[in-house]
Amino acid sequence: MPVIAVVGGQWGDEGKGKVVDFLAERVNMVVRFSGGDNAGHTVINPFGKFKLHLIPSGIFYPDVTCIIANGVVVNPVVLTKEIDDLNKRGIDTSRLFISDRANLVMPYHILLDGLEEEARGGGALGTTRRGIGPAFTDKVARLGIRAGELLNRETLKQRLGFVLDYKNRILTRVYGVEPVGLDELYQQCCRWGEGLTGHLRDTSAMLDEAVSNGDTILLEGAQGALLDPDFGTYPYTSSSSSLAGNGCIGAGIGPAKIDKVVGIFKAYNTRVGAGPMPTELKDKTGDLIRERAQEFGTTTGRPRRCGWFDAVAARYSQVVNGLTGAVITRLDILDAFDKIKICVGYKLDGKTINYFPADAAALYRCQPIYEEVAGWQTPTSHITGYDELPSRLKDYVSRLEGLIDCPVHLACVGPERSQAVIKTPIF
Ligand code: GDP
Ligand code: IMO
Ligand code: MG
């Protein structure tokens, strides 16, 4: 009956979708609580291969209720397509509910995301251009349109008119582009409302009831701790908090209700988009990881930057999330390496440090200090029991466990649901 938050421990794409799909067999509800369709969660299970951007990765179980909560910004076009695509592939989405408090990603947010990136020139953040930053900006500026508003046509037109007037002044006067037409957008919103009406709910009330019933609930995070706008590599971050703490506000649940916080880590590091990454390998080893792992963005297809496991960053992620446990994914990718490095400290301006600096400029100057371990050099993808894993792999996992400073629950050796080896049970 616990509530478990599953969050990214690095720069996103750690395998949250895979792990949630694996764990969801044992739960009653899965709740996405942050980000938007900038997220791309890959699930490979007996139904096929899926790339989910908004829908929780528990959707493949007929008895699991799935919620897109208030903390997510929802692009109705993407959501509608995702629902349709799943339905076409025989996946039932009638247990999918969307918070009436969730802010919407509007066409002008997507326009502005692109225009802002162009305006940043060489300082571009490398966003996914899905309108996520502008949508979260409007949420706190109180200029957002919320999902529930789609159902009240009169007030919707009024608010949309007010907001669009403001947005169009920015589009035309700052960026010199065409304004967005009110009537067309209003008609579009009405159609979205009709399409989504059966899914809209006060999802926080649903969650409260589930907690009271003693249900087991997963809070599915998006992005990762190092993309968090407070604790990540600011300004090279996303725009909503990816930490477990946001599982409370983003889902509408009190802090004392979360029992466990599980951080997902790749066995090495990747990052997509701009910003510092101390262990990035711009050499053949980095290329080898990218090729072996097919490290290309799930949402944008961009090549991911690859490097060795950064234990300084991982330990920091454990602290800011309050992790009670971890999962290590993609260990099989390291099957091919005779030597594996782990970053255990940084050299910054001639000094050795073991903390994660707040300043992105300082992080750019950090040189990793590595410890080297021997690789296991044997295939692992077929292994299902922890004891059967090569002893050097187990040594590697134990070393990461010590450095991150929390128990490892699962060691993942492949992308499929079944390729997760239990070390310490979560439930
Ligand atoms: P998410 O955003 O955290 O859900 O992660 P993504 O789906 O964006 O990226 C993770 C990638 O790693 C996907 O292609 C997964 O199919 C894949 N993956 C997850 N776990 C493993 C693993 O243990 N081994 C391998 N080889 N691939 C994995
Ligand atoms: P999941 O949930 C990896 C990155 C973008 C960019 C920065 C800001 O799949 O792990 P944004 O569009 O959010 O304004 O972009 O954040 N980013 C991600 N990187 N995985 C993600 O999500 C990401 N979501 C955003 O590449 O660097
Ligand atoms: Mg992803």
Side-chain angles (χ1 to χ4, degrees):
M1 43 175 267
V3 178
I4 305 170
V6 177
V7 291
Q10 297 158 318
W11 277 287
D13 302 332
E14 301 89 349
K16 297 175 291 293
K18 180 225 155 94
V19 173
V20 169
D21 175 61
F22 172 79
L23 296 176
E25 189 184 2
R26 302 275 300 270
V27 315
N28 306 96
M29 186 180 262
V30 181
V31 186
R32 258 287 302 270
F33 63 84
S34 65
D37 64 285
N38 49 351
H41 294 183
T42 313
V43 170
I44 305 178
N45 61 25
F47 304 101
K49 178 174 180 175
F50 302 86
K51 293 181 179 189
L52 301 171
H53 298 287
L54 286 165
I55 296 179
S57 305
I59 197 71
F60 304 96
Y61 297 92
D63 297 329
V64 174
T65 300
C66 286
I67 287 179
I68 300 175
N70 55 284
V72 179
V73 288
V74 177
N75 179 334
V77 179
V78 174
L79 178 59
T80 308
K81 183 170 182 316
E82 206 161 297
I83 293 174
D84 287 349
D85 287 351
L86 284 175
N87 291 161
K88 277 190 202 131
R89 294 175 68 183
I91 308 300
D92 175 28
T93 51
S94 60
R95 299 149 293 102
L96 172 70
F97 299 99
I98 301 140
S99 169
D100 49 9
R101 292 181 168 85
N103 272 247
L104 299 176
V105 177
M106 289 290 186
Y108 49 81
H109 290 136
I110 297 167
L111 262 174
L112 284 165
D113 199 355
L115 291 166
E116 287 169 9
E117 276 288 86
E118 301 300 330
R120 286 184 193 114
L125 305 175
T127 74
T128 58
R129 299 192 177 217
R130 297 295 187 111
I132 306 305
F136 278 112
T137 304
D138 274 1
K139 175 177 174 175
V140 289
R142 292 150 295 184
L143 288 170
I145 307 288
R146 307 211 295 186
E149 289 183 77
L150 295 176
L151 304 183
N152 188 338
R153 293 192 174 190
E154 230 162 84
T155 53
L156 172 67
K157 187 145 201 186
Q158 209 181 0
R159 284 214 65 236
L160 206 54
F162 174 77
V163 171
L164 208 51
D165 184 44
Y166 180 81
K167 292 287 148 189
N168 278 337
R169 273 185 278 162
I170 296 173
L171 287 172
T172 56
R173 294 187 200 175
V174 176
Y175 294 108
V177 299
E178 290 295 305
V180 172
L182 173 61
D183 280 338
E184 201 186 317
L185 185 56
Y186 171 70
Q187 296 302 335
Q188 209 172 16
C189 286
C190 292
R191 287 195 295 275
W192 291 335
E194 278 164 23
L196 295 178
T197 182
H199 294 283
L200 294 177
R201 288 282 192 293
D202 178 348
T203 55
S204 148
M206 291 174 71
L207 194 54
D208 182 53
E209 194 181 323
V211 171
S212 303
N213 289 342
D215 287 353
T216 301
I217 298 161
L218 291 181
L219 304 178
E220 178 176 352
Q223 290 80 53
L226 308 177
L227 287 170
D228 181 84
D230 282 272
F231 290 96
T233 48
Y234 191 83
Y236 302 98
T237 63
S238 193
S239 300
S240 72
S241 174
S242 13
L243 301 181
N246 192 35
C248 301
I249 298 159
I253 190 173
K257 299 273 165 55
I258 297 182
D259 301 282
K260 293 180 186 178
V261 180
V262 179
I264 316 299
F265 296 86
K266 271 180 197 171
Y268 48 91
N269 268 79
T270 63
R271 166 162 212 173
V272 60
M277 177 182 173
T279 64
E280 181 174 13
L281 293 167
K282 293 179 181 167
D283 59 7
K284 280 196 183 128
T285 310
D287 292 344
L288 181 61
I289 297 177
R290 186 177 310 102
E291 289 312 313
R292 263 188 73 77
Q294 282 302 295
E295 288 289 3
F296 297 93
T298 309
T299 299
T300 58
R302 291 176 289 177
R304 293 179 184 143
R305 301 156 60 193
C306 300
W308 295 119
F309 190 87
D310 185 338
V312 179
R315 170 69 190 257
Y316 169 76
S317 168
Q318 183 270 109
V319 172
V320 293
N321 270 305
L323 299 184
T324 59
V327 170
I328 311 294
T329 65
R330 291 196 162 233
L331 282 155
D332 53 301
I333 299 302
L334 300 183
D335 289 354
F337 291 83
D338 58 344
K339 298 260 187 280
I340 298 168
K341 292 185 184 177
I342 307 170
C343 168
V344 292
Y346 300 141
K347 201 94 182 159
L348 175 62
D349 303 333
K351 289 197 188 106
T352 299
I353 61 167
N354 61 3
Y355 62 87
F356 195 74
D359 180 16
L363 262 172
Y364 269 120
R365 297 198 305 280
C366 282
Q367 297 298 319
I369 299 170
Y370 287 120
E371 149 183 318
E372 195 174 83
V373 298
W376 44 94
Q377 293 192 279
T378 175
T380 53
S381 287
H382 60 287
I383 298 176
T384 52
Y386 197 77
D387 289 343
E388 285 96 70
L389 287 167
S391 60
R392 284 183 179 160
L393 184 151
K394 287 186 281 190
D395 291 345
Y396 184 65
V397 170
S398 297
R399 183 67 185 132
L400 298 192
E401 192 167 54
L403 289 164
I404 303 171
D405 197 21
C406 66
V408 167
H409 293 296
L410 300 172
C412 296
V413 290
E416 297 190 16
R417 182 190 279 174
S418 56
Q419 291 172 307
V421 182
I422 298 174
K423 182 172 189 288
T424 319
I426 293 183
F427 297 106

mmCIF file with all atom_site columns, all heavy atoms in Angstrom, residues 251-269:
data_model
loop_
_atom_site.group_PDB
_atom_site.id
_atom_site.type_symbol
_atom_site.label_atom_id
_atom_site.label_alt_id
_atom_site.label_comp_id
_atom_site.label_asym_id
_atom_site.label_entity_id
_atom_site.label_seq_id
_atom_site.pdbx_PDB_ins_code
_atom_site.Cartn_x
_atom_site.Cartn_y
_atom_site.Cartn_z
_atom_site.occupancy
_atom_site.B_iso_or_equiv
_atom_site.pdbx_formal_charge
_atom_site.auth_seq_id
_atom_site.auth_comp_id
_atom_site.auth_asym_id
_atom_site.auth_atom_id
_atom_site.pdbx_PDB_model_num
ATOM 1   N N   . ALA A 1 251 ? 0.971  16.432 -7.965  1.00 0.00 ? 251 ALA A N   1
ATOM 2   C CA  . ALA A 1 251 ? -0.095 15.419 -7.990  1.00 0.00 ? 251 ALA A CA  1
ATOM 3   C C   . ALA A 1 251 ? -1.236 15.787 -7.036  1.00 0.00 ? 251 ALA A C   1
ATOM 4   O O   . ALA A 1 251 ? -2.345 15.288 -7.172  1.00 0.00 ? 251 ALA A O   1
ATOM 5   C CB  . ALA A 1 251 ? 0.468  14.048 -7.620  1.00 0.00 ? 251 ALA A CB  1
ATOM 6   N N   . GLY A 1 252 ? -0.933 16.664 -6.067  1.00 0.00 ? 252 GLY A N   1
ATOM 7   C CA  . GLY A 1 252 ? -1.967 17.030 -5.100  1.00 0.00 ? 252 GLY A CA  1
ATOM 8   C C   . GLY A 1 252 ? -2.041 16.042 -3.952  1.00 0.00 ? 252 GLY A C   1
ATOM 9   O O   . GLY A 1 252 ? -3.100 15.486 -3.642  1.00 0.00 ? 252 GLY A O   1
ATOM 10  N N   . ILE A 1 253 ? -0.894 15.820 -3.315  1.00 0.00 ? 253 ILE A N   1
ATOM 11  C CA  . ILE A 1 253 ? -0.817 14.845 -2.225  1.00 0.00 ? 253 ILE A CA  1
ATOM 12  C C   . ILE A 1 253 ? 0.130  15.436 -1.171  1.00 0.00 ? 253 ILE A C   1
ATOM 13  O O   . ILE A 1 253 ? 1.098  16.113 -1.535  1.00 0.00 ? 253 ILE A O   1
ATOM 14  C CB  . ILE A 1 253 ? -0.310 13.483 -2.781  1.00 0.00 ? 253 ILE A CB  1
ATOM 15  C CG1 . ILE A 1 253 ? -0.426 12.359 -1.763  1.00 0.00 ? 253 ILE A CG1 1
ATOM 16  C CG2 . ILE A 1 253 ? 1.118  13.576 -3.266  1.00 0.00 ? 253 ILE A CG2 1
ATOM 17  C CD1 . ILE A 1 253 ? -0.080 10.994 -2.365  1.00 0.00 ? 253 ILE A CD1 1
ATOM 18  N N   . GLY A 1 254 ? -0.139 15.202 0.100   1.00 0.00 ? 254 GLY A N   1
ATOM 19  C CA  . GLY A 1 254 ? 0.704  15.778 1.154   1.00 0.00 ? 254 GLY A CA  1
ATOM 20  C C   . GLY A 1 254 ? 2.061  15.094 1.241   1.00 0.00 ? 254 GLY A C   1
ATOM 21  O O   . GLY A 1 254 ? 2.170  13.895 0.953   1.00 0.00 ? 254 GLY A O   1
ATOM 22  N N   . PRO A 1 255 ? 3.117  15.830 1.660   1.00 0.00 ? 255 PRO A N   1
ATOM 23  C CA  . PRO A 1 255 ? 4.463  15.251 1.726   1.00 0.00 ? 255 PRO A CA  1
ATOM 24  C C   . PRO A 1 255 ? 4.547  13.988 2.578   1.00 0.00 ? 255 PRO A C   1
ATOM 25  O O   . PRO A 1 255 ? 5.290  13.065 2.247   1.00 0.00 ? 255 PRO A O   1
ATOM 26  C CB  . PRO A 1 255 ? 5.309  16.366 2.347   1.00 0.00 ? 255 PRO A CB  1
ATOM 27  C CG  . PRO A 1 255 ? 4.544  17.612 2.165   1.00 0.00 ? 255 PRO A CG  1
ATOM 28  C CD  . PRO A 1 255 ? 3.093  17.242 2.044   1.00 0.00 ? 255 PRO A CD  1
ATOM 29  N N   . ALA A 1 256 ? 3.780  13.924 3.654   1.00 0.00 ? 256 ALA A N   1
ATOM 30  C CA  . ALA A 1 256 ? 3.872  12.770 4.549   1.00 0.00 ? 256 ALA A CA  1
ATOM 31  C C   . ALA A 1 256 ? 3.281  11.503 3.925   1.00 0.00 ? 256 ALA A C   1
ATOM 32  O O   . ALA A 1 256 ? 3.423  10.403 4.454   1.00 0.00 ? 256 ALA A O   1
ATOM 33  C CB  . ALA A 1 256 ? 3.169  13.080 5.869   1.00 0.00 ? 256 ALA A CB  1
ATOM 34  N N   . LYS A 1 257 ? 2.608  11.656 2.777   1.00 0.00 ? 257 LYS A N   1
ATOM 35  C CA  . LYS A 1 257 ? 1.960  10.491 2.143   1.00 0.00 ? 257 LYS A CA  1
ATOM 36  C C   . LYS A 1 257 ? 2.921  9.702  1.249   1.00 0.00 ? 257 LYS A C   1
ATOM 37  O O   . LYS A 1 257 ? 2.620  8.597  0.830   1.00 0.00 ? 257 LYS A O   1
ATOM 38  C CB  . LYS A 1 257 ? 0.758  10.951 1.311   1.00 0.00 ? 257 LYS A CB  1
ATOM 39  C CG  . LYS A 1 257 ? -0.326 11.644 2.112   1.00 0.00 ? 257 LYS A CG  1
ATOM 40  C CD  . LYS A 1 257 ? -1.299 10.622 2.666   1.00 0.00 ? 257 LYS A CD  1
ATOM 41  C CE  . LYS A 1 257 ? -2.211 11.129 3.758   1.00 0.00 ? 257 LYS A CE  1
ATOM 42  N NZ  . LYS A 1 257 ? -2.992 12.289 3.432   1.00 0.00 ? 257 LYS A NZ  1
ATOM 43  N N   . ILE A 1 258 ? 4.067  10.306 0.924   1.00 0.00 ? 258 ILE A N   1
ATOM 44  C CA  . ILE A 1 258 ? 5.012  9.579  0.051   1.00 0.00 ? 258 ILE A CA  1
ATOM 45  C C   . ILE A 1 258 ? 5.918  8.698  0.912   1.00 0.00 ? 258 ILE A C   1
ATOM 46  O O   . ILE A 1 258 ? 6.617  9.184  1.793   1.00 0.00 ? 258 ILE A O   1
ATOM 47  C CB  . ILE A 1 258 ? 5.846  10.561 -0.810  1.00 0.00 ? 258 ILE A CB  1
ATOM 48  C CG1 . ILE A 1 258 ? 4.908  11.343 -1.739  1.00 0.00 ? 258 ILE A CG1 1
ATOM 49  C CG2 . ILE A 1 258 ? 6.898  9.811  -1.626  1.00 0.00 ? 258 ILE A CG2 1
ATOM 50  C CD1 . ILE A 1 258 ? 5.592  12.303 -2.680  1.00 0.00 ? 258 ILE A CD1 1
ATOM 51  N N   . ASP A 1 259 ? 5.870  7.397  0.661   1.00 0.00 ? 259 ASP A N   1
ATOM 52  C CA  . ASP A 1 259 ? 6.622  6.450  1.502   1.00 0.00 ? 259 ASP A CA  1
ATOM 53  C C   . ASP A 1 259 ? 8.023  6.189  1.002   1.00 0.00 ? 259 ASP A C   1
ATOM 54  O O   . ASP A 1 259 ? 8.942  5.973  1.784   1.00 0.00 ? 259 ASP A O   1
ATOM 55  C CB  . ASP A 1 259 ? 5.872  5.112  1.557   1.00 0.00 ? 259 ASP A CB  1
ATOM 56  C CG  . ASP A 1 259 ? 4.483  5.286  2.114   1.00 0.00 ? 259 ASP A CG  1
ATOM 57  O OD1 . ASP A 1 259 ? 4.355  5.404  3.334   1.00 0.00 ? 259 ASP A OD1 1
ATOM 58  O OD2 . ASP A 1 259 ? 3.519  5.352  1.324   1.00 0.00 ? 259 ASP A OD2 1
ATOM 59  N N   . LYS A 1 260 ? 8.174  6.137  -0.343  1.00 0.00 ? 260 LYS A N   1
ATOM 60  C CA  . LYS A 1 260 ? 9.483  5.783  -0.892  1.00 0.00 ? 260 LYS A CA  1
ATOM 61  C C   . LYS A 1 260 ? 9.779  6.654  -2.098  1.00 0.00 ? 260 LYS A C   1
ATOM 62  O O   . LYS A 1 260 ? 8.857  7.046  -2.825  1.00 0.00 ? 260 LYS A O   1
ATOM 63  C CB  . LYS A 1 260 ? 9.505  4.311  -1.337  1.00 0.00 ? 260 LYS A CB  1
ATOM 64  C CG  . LYS A 1 260 ? 9.383  3.358  -0.173  1.00 0.00 ? 260 LYS A CG  1
ATOM 65  C CD  . LYS A 1 260 ? 9.411  1.922  -0.626  1.00 0.00 ? 260 LYS A CD  1
ATOM 66  C CE  . LYS A 1 260 ? 9.131  1.023  0.576   1.00 0.00 ? 260 LYS A CE  1
ATOM 67  N NZ  . LYS A 1 260 ? 9.085  -0.382 0.231   1.00 0.00 ? 260 LYS A NZ  1
ATOM 68  N N   . VAL A 1 261 ? 11.050 6.916  -2.287  1.00 0.00 ? 261 VAL A N   1
ATOM 69  C CA  . VAL A 1 261 ? 11.472 7.717  -3.445  1.00 0.00 ? 261 VAL A CA  1
ATOM 70  C C   . VAL A 1 261 ? 12.585 6.944  -4.155  1.00 0.00 ? 261 VAL A C   1
ATOM 71  O O   . VAL A 1 261 ? 13.662 6.723  -3.589  1.00 0.00 ? 261 VAL A O   1
ATOM 72  C CB  . VAL A 1 261 ? 11.988 9.104  -3.001  1.00 0.00 ? 261 VAL A CB  1
ATOM 73  C CG1 . VAL A 1 261 ? 12.427 9.904  -4.219  1.00 0.00 ? 261 VAL A CG1 1
ATOM 74  C CG2 . VAL A 1 261 ? 10.922 9.864  -2.204  1.00 0.00 ? 261 VAL A CG2 1
ATOM 75  N N   . VAL A 1 262 ? 12.279 6.500  -5.364  1.00 0.00 ? 262 VAL A N   1
ATOM 76  C CA  . VAL A 1 262 ? 13.235 5.676  -6.106  1.00 0.00 ? 262 VAL A CA  1
ATOM 77  C C   . VAL A 1 262 ? 13.815 6.484  -7.272  1.00 0.00 ? 262 VAL A C   1
ATOM 78  O O   . VAL A 1 262 ? 13.077 6.970  -8.134  1.00 0.00 ? 262 VAL A O   1
ATOM 79  C CB  . VAL A 1 262 ? 12.545 4.391  -6.631  1.00 0.00 ? 262 VAL A CB  1
ATOM 80  C CG1 . VAL A 1 262 ? 13.524 3.547  -7.432  1.00 0.00 ? 262 VAL A CG1 1
ATOM 81  C CG2 . VAL A 1 262 ? 11.973 3.586  -5.466  1.00 0.00 ? 262 VAL A CG2 1
ATOM 82  N N   . GLY A 1 263 ? 15.125 6.624  -7.269  1.00 0.00 ? 263 GLY A N   1
ATOM 83  C CA  . GLY A 1 263 ? 15.803 7.374  -8.330  1.00 0.00 ? 263 GLY A CA  1
ATOM 84  C C   . GLY A 1 263 ? 16.304 6.423  -9.403  1.00 0.00 ? 263 GLY A C   1
ATOM 85  O O   . GLY A 1 263 ? 16.908 5.388  -9.099  1.00 0.00 ? 263 GLY A O   1
ATOM 86  N N   . ILE A 1 264 ? 16.057 6.768  -10.661 1.00 0.00 ? 264 ILE A N   1
ATOM 87  C CA  . ILE A 1 264 ? 16.518 5.926  -11.777 1.00 0.00 ? 264 ILE A CA  1
ATOM 88  C C   . ILE A 1 264 ? 17.807 6.537  -12.337 1.00 0.00 ? 264 ILE A C   1
ATOM 89  O O   . ILE A 1 264 ? 17.862 7.740  -12.612 1.00 0.00 ? 264 ILE A O   1
ATOM 90  C CB  . ILE A 1 264 ? 15.451 5.837  -12.898 1.00 0.00 ? 264 ILE A CB  1
ATOM 91  C CG1 . ILE A 1 264 ? 14.044 5.622  -12.311 1.00 0.00 ? 264 ILE A CG1 1
ATOM 92  C CG2 . ILE A 1 264 ? 15.801 4.740  -13.893 1.00 0.00 ? 264 ILE A CG2 1
ATOM 93  C CD1 . ILE A 1 264 ? 13.848 4.383  -11.508 1.00 0.00 ? 264 ILE A CD1 1
ATOM 94  N N   . PHE A 1 265 ? 18.815 5.685  -12.472 1.00 0.00 ? 265 PHE A N   1
ATOM 95  C CA  . PHE A 1 265 ? 20.122 6.107  -12.993 1.00 0.00 ? 265 PHE A CA  1
ATOM 96  C C   . PHE A 1 265 ? 20.545 5.161  -14.101 1.00 0.00 ? 265 PHE A C   1
ATOM 97  O O   . PHE A 1 265 ? 20.439 3.938  -13.941 1.00 0.00 ? 265 PHE A O   1
ATOM 98  C CB  . PHE A 1 265 ? 21.207 6.035  -11.895 1.00 0.00 ? 265 PHE A CB  1
ATOM 99  C CG  . PHE A 1 265 ? 20.977 6.967  -10.745 1.00 0.00 ? 265 PHE A CG  1
ATOM 100 C CD1 . PHE A 1 265 ? 20.167 6.596  -9.674  1.00 0.00 ? 265 PHE A CD1 1
ATOM 101 C CD2 . PHE A 1 265 ? 21.589 8.217  -10.719 1.00 0.00 ? 265 PHE A CD2 1
ATOM 102 C CE1 . PHE A 1 265 ? 19.961 7.460  -8.596  1.00 0.00 ? 265 PHE A CE1 1
ATOM 103 C CE2 . PHE A 1 265 ? 21.395 9.078  -9.644  1.00 0.00 ? 265 PHE A CE2 1
ATOM 104 C CZ  . PHE A 1 265 ? 20.589 8.700  -8.578  1.00 0.00 ? 265 PHE A CZ  1
ATOM 105 N N   . LYS A 1 266 ? 21.076 5.728  -15.181 1.00 0.00 ? 266 LYS A N   1
ATOM 106 C CA  . LYS A 1 266 ? 21.757 4.880  -16.151 1.00 0.00 ? 266 LYS A CA  1
ATOM 107 C C   . LYS A 1 266 ? 23.095 4.472  -15.564 1.00 0.00 ? 266 LYS A C   1
ATOM 108 O O   . LYS A 1 266 ? 23.653 5.203  -14.734 1.00 0.00 ? 266 LYS A O   1
ATOM 109 C CB  . LYS A 1 266 ? 22.052 5.674  -17.424 1.00 0.00 ? 266 LYS A CB  1
ATOM 110 C CG  . LYS A 1 266 ? 20.960 5.622  -18.432 1.00 0.00 ? 266 LYS A CG  1
ATOM 111 C CD  . LYS A 1 266 ? 21.316 6.430  -19.663 1.00 0.00 ? 266 LYS A CD  1
ATOM 112 C CE  . LYS A 1 266 ? 20.036 6.671  -20.426 1.00 0.00 ? 266 LYS A CE  1
ATOM 113 N NZ  . LYS A 1 266 ? 20.155 7.585  -21.515 1.00 0.00 ? 266 LYS A NZ  1
ATOM 114 N N   . ALA A 1 267 ? 23.670 3.397  -16.068 1.00 0.00 ? 267 ALA A N   1
ATOM 115 C CA  . ALA A 1 267 ? 24.971 2.929  -15.588 1.00 0.00 ? 267 ALA A CA  1
ATOM 116 C C   . ALA A 1 267 ? 26.106 3.835  -16.055 1.00 0.00 ? 267 ALA A C   1
ATOM 117 O O   . ALA A 1 267 ? 27.258 3.648  -15.687 1.00 0.00 ? 267 ALA A O   1
ATOM 118 C CB  . ALA A 1 267 ? 25.203 1.501  -16.082 1.00 0.00 ? 267 ALA A CB  1
ATOM 119 N N   . TYR A 1 268 ? 25.754 4.808  -16.902 1.00 0.00 ? 268 TYR A N   1
ATOM 120 C CA  . TYR A 1 268 ? 26.698 5.843  -17.352 1.00 0.00 ? 268 TYR A CA  1
ATOM 121 C C   . TYR A 1 268 ? 25.876 7.113  -17.416 1.00 0.00 ? 268 TYR A C   1
ATOM 122 O O   . TYR A 1 268 ? 24.784 7.145  -16.849 1.00 0.00 ? 268 TYR A O   1
ATOM 123 C CB  . TYR A 1 268 ? 27.304 5.442  -18.722 1.00 0.00 ? 268 TYR A CB  1
ATOM 124 C CG  . TYR A 1 268 ? 26.272 5.007  -19.722 1.00 0.00 ? 268 TYR A CG  1
ATOM 125 C CD1 . TYR A 1 268 ? 25.676 5.924  -20.590 1.00 0.00 ? 268 TYR A CD1 1
ATOM 126 C CD2 . TYR A 1 268 ? 25.821 3.687  -19.772 1.00 0.00 ? 268 TYR A CD2 1
ATOM 127 C CE1 . TYR A 1 268 ? 24.681 5.533  -21.481 1.00 0.00 ? 268 TYR A CE1 1
ATOM 128 C CE2 . TYR A 1 268 ? 24.823 3.299  -20.658 1.00 0.00 ? 268 TYR A CE2 1
ATOM 129 C CZ  . TYR A 1 268 ? 24.257 4.221  -21.507 1.00 0.00 ? 268 TYR A CZ  1
ATOM 130 O OH  . TYR A 1 268 ? 23.281 3.840  -22.375 1.00 0.00 ? 268 TYR A OH  1
ATOM 131 N N   . ASN A 1 269 ? 26.365 8.166  -18.049 1.00 0.00 ? 269 ASN A N   1
ATOM 132 C CA  . ASN A 1 269 ? 25.586 9.398  -18.106 1.00 0.00 ? 269 ASN A CA  1
ATOM 133 C C   . ASN A 1 269 ? 25.249 9.796  -19.537 1.00 0.00 ? 269 ASN A C   1
ATOM 134 O O   . ASN A 1 269 ? 26.047 9.566  -20.443 1.00 0.00 ? 269 ASN A O   1
ATOM 135 C CB  . ASN A 1 269 ? 26.370 10.558 -17.487 1.00 0.00 ? 269 ASN A CB  1
ATOM 136 C CG  . ASN A 1 269 ? 26.067 10.719 -16.020 1.00 0.00 ? 269 ASN A CG  1
ATOM 137 O OD1 . ASN A 1 269 ? 26.581 9.980  -15.197 1.00 0.00 ? 269 ASN A OD1 1
ATOM 138 N ND2 . ASN A 1 269 ? 25.205 11.648 -15.692 1.00 0.00 ? 269 ASN A ND2 1
#
